[in-house]
Amino acid sequence: MSRSTRPRWRLGLTATAFLVAAASVPTPAHAEDVSDYTITVDTTAKGARIDDTMYGVFFEDINRAADGGLYAELVQNRSFEYSTADNRAYTPLTSWTVDGSARTVNDGGRLNDRNRVYLSLGAGSTITNTGYNTGVRVEKGKKYDFSVWARAESGTNLTVALKDAGGTLAKARRVTVAAGGWAKYRVVLKATRTSSDGRLAVATSGAAALDEVSLFPRDTYKGRRNGLRKDLAQKIAALKPGFLRFPGGCLVNTGSMKDYSEASNWERTRAYQWKDTIGPVERRATNANFWGYNQSYGLGYYEYFQFAEDIGAMPLPVVPALVTGCGQNKATDDEALLQRHIQDTLDLIEFANGPATSEWGRVRARMGHPKPFHLTHLGVGNEENLPNEFFARFQKFRAAIEAKYPDIKVVSNSGPDDAGSTFDTAWKLNREANVDMVDEHYYNSPQWFLQNNDRYDSYDRKGPKVFLGEYASWGNAFKNALAEAAFMTGLERNADVVELASYAPLLANEDYVQWSPDMIWFNNHASWGSANYQMQKLFMNNVGDRVVPSTATGTPAVSGPISGAVGLSTWATTAAYDDVKVTGADGATLLSDDFSGDASRWTHTGRGSWSVQDGQYVQTDVAAENTMVFAGDPSWHDYDLKVKATKKSGKEGFLVAFGVKDTGNYYWWNLGGWNNTTSAVEQAVDGGKSSLISKPGTIEAGRAYDIEVKVRGRKVTLLLDGQEWGSFTDDKPAEPFRQVVTRDARTGDLIVKVVNAQPVAARTAVDLGGAKVRGTARVTTLAAAPDAVNTETATPVAPVTSTFRGVARKFSYTFPANSVTFLRIKKR
């Protein structure tokens, strides 16, 4: 997952575009509520073959997806390892309360070197854990395994209890701690009531040292110990994913590449390294999570491989390439460290595939899985924004892997965006080196997804295959899912290029959100699939084995010139603006402001603090993001905008907007964005952004820049200090009617998949090209209001199945407004 720093593109952008801009939707030709289309299918031709693994899922520990999420542990901070390295607000007693005397200790008396902090609990004292969300969730009649590592100088008793504000939740159990060294103690608690607000309390009669305090439900997915939360795992399994990509994401390519050892001073901000995450949980190294919390690694590589096997998915791990990304953008120049990581990657393949007699296969077998996990694909790196530095290191990983494991497909990537200089350079390097597969990532507005159904039509059929490892439109409303569905018809049509694809992110705990949108939402007692989840499930359960070539008529586009007011903004910077001038194509002055007076012509409706200072318009809040002010008429078009801009301080540069309709619909030239590494033009439609053109670049503080934007029709030319920086033409239609047809070899079904992402029905003539078919079809429809959002208590976006009895070689079907429809038609 990216962009000013990666969180910038994910934080606060939950509002998304209506699927088709008003200017792009014509008045229907025949009626106010119907448009007419035709679909022609050539059932005698063979299209691209679709692999069983085409659609999968991507798991990253973001939004508390692991601890407090898919990993079923109910105790938060069970090993007292929370630290300010994870979050400035954390202490080793975060999520614990103490009645009596207790202190956390980091000394030679610890449980082991990798579990460095433990609790010293005074006689007659009690510690209580608050769990996640509202508390510890227990269900009446179910059993919960409590365990703790403890030691005491003289024998003592622990009393373990579950309670909430209403009283006891389970009969208290006593644990006798023998005098001596560390030992593990276990008891079983059976819930007598259901509660989502529980607390786990551990009281001691005498002084004791405690570590790794755990409460685990017996009822986990597949009943596995150290297992997964059942409802979340079941929802993922119901997708029938072809692959599971893990563990990230930004977790893979951020932070230190050193190990967790005395030599690194027990580095807590490390990139995710697989050897930290295997073996007994009490010996797994803790780590700071890039997204601002702690990760215990209770859910580690063994559990990922096991889960992939359990759900029938191909495992696809990703390892660090020693070039950081996600706003950090630094290459590690340490050959010994690089070689250690390459060896770790070779060891990972042995852990997954080696015989139980091999060094790392033996570790896997001891953990409970003697048979191999059948790893076939492995990713190196994630969204590196330094393509040359990344690729030099990638080649070393690739050479070592191919030399020892020639059957493993080594996956490269193309950086954090769908276009731009990083993307172009990365793809050039990947093509020239003939890599197997390139991982593309992008998050854009719904309109972008409607406009780019043909993205892969022109890709080289003989070049590297595409792994679309992360994609989503900005939002979890049904209109977002519709736009993604329209795009997915293009992915399937190009299945000979796009071999793998996964929506991202997968999970979000509603009380710990760092990134939105997400596929599955949950709290400590419930989970629900978003509209996007329902759409992904529909596609993933009805893929087919081969594309059947088909064509469809389109929606006539109506498009006028780019029009709108002008604007100024900042993002995590302070900046000053002066000498704003807007001139029409005829030379007439539309706006001129040197800020010698007030700023009454400018409207400020958002964040930040703007004022006129010394003849400049200045934004002074260095922490504020998107501080847009705007002036002028939304009907302005064909104009030149000139302004002087000076960065004062902060992480980024400044932004100059044009074509401003309102606070959610505009274009802006983002100069020095993404932690002052990149400049780009972004288009916002109802708050959802996508990049139209981007280049590397930085903005110097204290220097005045001359900015000029020339708008002519749909073409925009941008000049920086008198030199042309770039240009673009925004004239691609956002087609709301998309379709693809596939064949299911097992059943013989033709699967006609139609997206109608517009507020009118689509009356459609379907020509199956002489195919002999039965007269009925099984129909699955997703239809809802564009702004419909699934929640814990309401699911307005859910599939409806029906039977259509009018199928023939040529037949008509009216696809509802704002809908996706799958017709499964059987051969006769």
Side-chain angles (χ1 to χ4, degrees):
M1 305 157 166
S2 324
R3 328 271 92 142
S4 146
T5 59
R6 182 169 184 171
R8 163 170 172 182
W9 281 46
R10 296 199 175 180
L11 294 175
L13 293 177
T14 55
T16 51
F18 180 67
L19 293 176
V20 184
S24 300
V25 182
T27 302
H30 299 286
E32 292 183 358
D33 58 351
V34 178
S35 287
D36 285 335
Y37 298 89
T38 61
I39 296 174
T40 303
V41 185
D42 185 356
T43 54
T44 64
K46 283 187 176 181
R49 187 176 66 85
I50 306 174
D51 290 341
D52 291 341
T53 54
M54 178 171 183
Y55 292 126
V57 292
F58 163 50
F59 182 91
E60 179 176 10
D61 188 359
I62 183 173
N63 308 316
R64 288 281 189 187
D67 296 324
L70 185 61
Y71 184 52
E73 174 65 72
L74 297 173
V75 176
Q76 184 173 177
N77 188 19
R78 66 183 177 186
S79 59
F80 310 102
E81 296 288 337
Y82 275 28
S83 164
T84 53
D86 312 327
N87 187 300
R88 284 181 292 180
Y90 281 179
T91 75
L93 282 173
T94 294
S95 300
W96 294 94
T97 59
V98 177
D99 182 6
S101 64
R103 60 189 179 91
T104 54
V105 184
N106 184 349
D107 65 13
R110 63 178 65 89
L111 179 59
N112 60 67
D113 279 348
R114 296 170 74 78
N115 192 338
R116 300 188 60 74
V117 179
Y118 63 94
L119 183 75
S120 175
L121 189 62
S125 299
T126 302
I127 55 165
T128 303
N129 192 264
T130 58
Y132 296 93
N133 299 94
T134 55
V136 175
R137 165 70 175 182
V138 296
E139 296 181 51
K140 182 179 179 179
K142 291 191 174 181
K143 294 180 178 180
Y144 297 84
D145 290 317
F146 170 86
S147 64
V148 63
W149 283 83
R151 65 174 170 81
E153 291 184 6
S154 57
T156 188
N157 292 320
L158 303 179
T159 301
V160 184
L162 273 171
K163 57 187 177 181
D164 65 6
T168 299
L169 292 172
K171 181 181 178 182
R173 297 296 304 276
R174 178 174 290 183
V175 175
T176 299
V177 178
W182 289 102
K184 189 173 184 178
Y185 299 89
R186 300 178 178 89
V187 293
V188 177
L189 300 174
K190 185 175 181 179
T192 56
R193 288 192 296 115
T194 294
S195 176
S196 299
D197 308 314
R199 301 290 187 266
L200 173 70
V202 181
T204 181
S205 60
L210 307 180
D211 207 343
E212 206 72 18
V213 183
S214 173
L215 187 68
F216 229 90
R218 283 271 179 94
D219 189 18
T220 58
Y221 185 64
K222 302 275 187 187
R224 299 195 184 282
R225 296 294 178 93
N226 198 44
L228 306 182
R229 179 171 150 175
K230 194 172 183 178
D231 62 326
L232 293 177
Q234 286 174 335
K235 282 184 171 60
I236 298 168
L239 293 168
K240 299 180 181 178
F243 65 87
L244 170 64
R245 174 179 174 239
F246 61 89
C250 284
L251 301 185
V252 167
N253 69 334
T254 55
S256 170
M257 299 296 164
K258 296 180 180 180
D259 62 1
Y260 190 60
S261 67
E262 186 175 7
S264 70
N265 196 28
W266 308 104
E267 176 62 62
R268 285 293 297 267
T269 56
R270 308 181 308 285
Y272 198 110
Q273 299 175 47
W274 77 273
K275 289 180 179 177
D276 288 342
T277 76
I278 61 170
V281 292
E282 69 273 6
R283 290 188 172 274
R284 299 185 187 184
T286 192
N287 201 9
N289 181 298
F290 174 80
W291 299 107
Y293 51 92
N294 176 274
Q295 50 192 341
S296 72
Y297 290 141
L299 176 57
Y301 257 72
Y302 177 83
E303 288 76 26
Y304 286 128
F305 278 120
Q306 182 69 74
F307 185 45
E309 183 177 86
D310 285 344
I311 62 177
M314 175 182 79
L316 205 167
V318 182
V319 300
L322 273 72
V323 178
T324 57
C326 303
Q328 295 184 358
N329 302 338
K330 181 180 179 181
T332 301
D333 292 317
D334 183 331
E335 187 63 26
L337 188 58
L338 174 64
Q339 291 303 318
R340 193 267 286 174
H341 277 266
I342 291 173
Q343 185 59 51
D344 281 354
T345 302
L346 297 176
D347 293 344
L348 170 61
I349 299 170
E350 184 175 285
F351 175 78
N353 291 352
T357 55
S358 65
E359 178 184 359
W360 290 100
R362 187 178 300 112
V363 173
R364 182 195 68 240
R366 287 173 182 163
M367 294 184 72
H369 202 283
K371 294 182 179 180
F373 281 120
H374 305 297
L375 176 68
T376 59
H377 293 61
L378 184 142
V380 176
N382 170 77
E383 292 188 7
E384 284 74 24
N385 209 28
L386 301 172
N388 291 297
E389 293 85 343
F390 159 73
F391 203 74
R393 291 154 181 79
F394 170 84
Q395 286 284 61
K396 293 183 179 182
F397 277 87
R398 181 191 186 199
I401 294 168
E402 289 183 344
K404 190 168 185 179
Y405 300 105
D407 294 334
I408 297 291
K409 285 192 175 182
V410 186
V411 182
S412 182
N413 75 81
S414 59
D417 298 303
D418 60 89
S421 60
T422 296
F423 179 88
D424 293 340
T425 300
W427 257 107
K428 180 176 183 292
L429 293 167
N430 286 312
R431 279 194 299 268
E432 290 174 349
N434 195 31
V435 303
D436 289 320
M437 185 173 287
V438 178
D439 188 2
E440 292 189 356
H441 296 179
Y442 38 81
Y443 298 85
N444 288 313
S445 68
Q447 179 161 308
W448 185 94
F449 283 95
L450 289 175
Q451 290 174 322
N452 284 278
N453 174 276
D454 63 349
R455 175 179 176 87
Y456 297 105
D457 290 0
S458 59
Y459 271 50
D460 182 2
R461 264 54 199 167
K462 296 181 180 180
K465 301 305 180 184
V466 172
F467 171 23
L468 182 49
E470 297 183 31
Y471 74 97
S473 71
W474 289 115
N476 278 142
F478 187 54
K479 59 190 175 185
N480 301 97
L482 280 172
E484 291 153 6
F487 187 73
M488 291 169 76
T489 66
L491 298 183
E492 292 192 6
R493 188 176 64 251
N494 290 286
D496 55 332
V497 170
V498 184
E499 287 195 348
L500 307 172
S502 51
Y503 179 100
L506 178 61
L507 296 174
N509 187 318
E510 66 174 352
D511 291 333
Y512 307 95
V513 179
Q514 292 86 41
W515 183 281
S516 182
D518 304 285
M519 195 192 296
I520 299 170
W521 290 79
F522 65 93
N523 50 40
N524 67 355
H525 63 274
S527 59
W528 56 98
S530 65
N532 317 69
Y533 171 85
Q534 296 293 351
M535 194 68 72
Q536 292 289 326
K537 184 178 178 183
L538 180 60
F539 272 83
M540 293 166 78
N541 282 262
N542 295 277
V543 183
D545 304 282
R546 187 175 288 278
V547 175
V548 181
S550 60
T551 58
T553 54
T555 306
V558 177
S559 184
I562 292 174
S563 61
V566 298
L568 312 170
S569 190
T570 60
W571 197 296
T573 54
T574 63
Y577 294 91
D578 202 358
D579 297 332
V580 179
K581 189 171 185 178
V582 182
T583 307
D586 59 359
T589 299
L590 303 176
L591 173 69
S592 181
D593 199 338
D594 63 3
F595 302 106
S596 57
D598 58 25
S600 57
R601 302 183 193 183
W602 298 84
T603 300
H604 178 215
T605 59
R607 306 178 183 93
S609 179
W610 289 88
S611 62
V612 174
Q613 299 179 15
D614 300 323
Q616 295 181 313
Y617 200 20
V618 183
Q619 198 290 115
T620 56
D621 185 347
V622 73
E625 298 179 346
N626 193 1
T627 64
M628 174 88 79
V629 294
F630 55 91
D633 191 324
S635 66
W636 282 353
H637 60 87
D638 297 295
Y639 57 75
D640 295 345
L641 164 63
K642 295 183 178 180
V643 59
K644 290 186 181 295
T646 305
K647 171 184 173 177
K648 296 292 188 181
S649 64
K651 295 190 297 185
E652 306 215 352
F654 39 74
L655 305 103
V656 175
F658 54 96
V660 179
K661 295 293 189 183
D662 52 45
T663 56
N665 297 276
Y666 54 83
Y667 302 80
W668 67 17
W669 188 4
N670 183 350
L671 288 140
W674 297 269
N675 271 352
N676 204 12
T677 62
T678 303
S679 296
V681 175
E682 298 175 277
Q683 182 184 16
V685 182
D686 285 354
K689 295 191 187 73
S690 54
S691 291
L692 303 179
I693 180 174
S694 66
K695 296 181 179 181
T698 60
I699 293 298
E700 300 174 23
R703 174 185 165 189
Y705 289 84
D706 289 319
I707 312 298
E708 186 172 359
V709 181
K710 294 179 176 292
V711 182
R712 296 293 184 273
R714 305 296 299 179
K715 182 176 181 180
V716 177
T717 305
L718 306 113
L719 294 91
L720 182 63
D721 288 333
Q723 301 296 314
E724 183 171 329
W725 177 87
S727 64
F728 67 92
T729 302
D730 182 21
D731 60 356
K732 202 167 189 179
E735 172 59 59
F737 185 84
R738 298 289 188 184
Q739 58 80 39
V740 70
V741 180
T742 64
R743 189 187 303 278
D744 187 331
R746 184 180 61 83
T747 63
D749 293 354
L750 282 178
I751 313 173
V752 179
K753 312 173 187 184
V754 178
V755 181
N756 182 28
Q758 59 184 329
V760 295
R763 185 169 51 203
T764 305
V766 181
D767 183 348
L768 297 180
K772 296 180 179 179
V773 294
R774 296 183 183 179
T776 61
R778 193 174 84 228
V779 183
T780 306
T781 305
L782 283 173
D787 291 320
V789 175
N790 287 351
T791 67
E792 179 183 349
T793 57
T795 54
V797 182
V800 175
T801 58
S802 60
T803 300
F804 175 63
R805 303 187 184 281
V807 178
R809 295 179 181 181
K810 293 183 178 181
F811 67 96
S812 294
Y813 192 95
T814 298
F815 296 96
N818 300 310
S819 71
V820 175
T821 305
F822 280 27
L823 300 170
R824 291 193 73 112
I825 301 171
K826 291 193 174 297
K827 291 171 62 178
R828 179 163 54 84

